[in-house]
Amino acid sequence: MWSQLNALINQDPYMSKHRGQIAERNAAILPYFKHLDLNIKRDLYINTGKYKHTLRLSFDTINLGNFLNRNWGVAKIFSTGFSSGSISFLKYEGLVTDPNAGKPGYSFLYQDLANQIPFVNSYQDNLSIFSRWQGQTGIRYLFN
């Protein structure tokens, strides 16, 4: 269990630099990522007598980077063992070995308890619609 916990601490930049210390408030933040959107508009004009009619065609791409490369524009979230306000990958079990010896017992939270697969990364990819590219088209008639 110690080697799994040590590997988890070593892979995280904040935890590895502050080993043995109490974590500061708001010190461990999510990694920065870039999100780029694209908007293309084209106006078509039609003159009928004294009136000018406008038809606007538009195309929007949300998260263009993810459209170009599936590894771009992907946000990170805390792994399941981490929550929005605390890190809960190590659980205090009390004095489990010998109450007179005063040694505390701990258990390590696993991604898969049955197979004992440990957490190996502090962050994982956000697989929601926020990290995927989206496209939409639009037609608009402008009254003049």
Side-chain angles (χ1 to χ4, degrees):
M1 183 170 62
W2 168 248
S3 63
Q4 294 171 352
L5 177 62
N6 190 41
L8 180 68
I9 292 172
N10 285 336
Q11 65 82 36
D12 188 274
Y14 180 78
M15 287 193 293
S16 63
K17 290 179 185 172
H18 296 87
R19 182 184 290 270
Q21 300 175 1
I22 296 174
E24 298 173 9
R25 178 182 285 184
N26 299 325
I29 57 173
L30 292 172
Y32 179 78
F33 78 103
K34 296 177 183 173
H35 189 104
L36 178 67
D37 298 335
L38 175 69
N39 177 276
I40 300 171
K41 292 181 183 175
R42 174 71 181 177
D43 288 346
L44 303 173
Y45 302 105
I46 302 170
N47 292 320
T48 57
K50 63 180 182 173
Y51 297 106
K52 177 180 171 185
H53 302 279
T54 306
L55 189 64
R56 179 172 291 163
L57 305 174
S58 65
F59 177 74
D60 297 305
T61 303
I62 302 164
N63 199 355
L64 179 66
N66 189 252
F67 175 75
L68 299 174
N69 184 332
R70 69 183 203 152
N71 297 321
W72 296 350
V74 177
K76 299 284 186 184
I77 57 174
F78 288 107
S79 294
T80 309
F82 298 81
S83 62
S84 60
S86 63
I87 298 174
S88 58
F89 55 86
L90 192 63
K91 182 179 177 186
Y92 175 68
E93 296 289 344
L95 301 174
V96 293
T97 54
D98 182 12
N100 298 328
K103 292 184 178 180
Y106 296 96
S107 65
F108 194 74
L109 297 179
Y110 294 99
Q111 288 180 1
D112 183 6
L113 183 60
N115 298 321
Q116 291 192 341
I117 299 173
F119 289 103
V120 293
N121 292 319
S122 303
Y123 309 107
Q124 63 186 13
D125 290 343
N126 182 355
L127 301 177
S128 70
I129 195 73
F130 182 70
S131 292
R132 298 181 192 157
W133 73 272
Q134 303 168 56
Q136 67 183 19
T137 58
I139 299 173
R140 181 177 183 185
Y141 178 77
L142 302 172
F143 295 95
N144 292 354

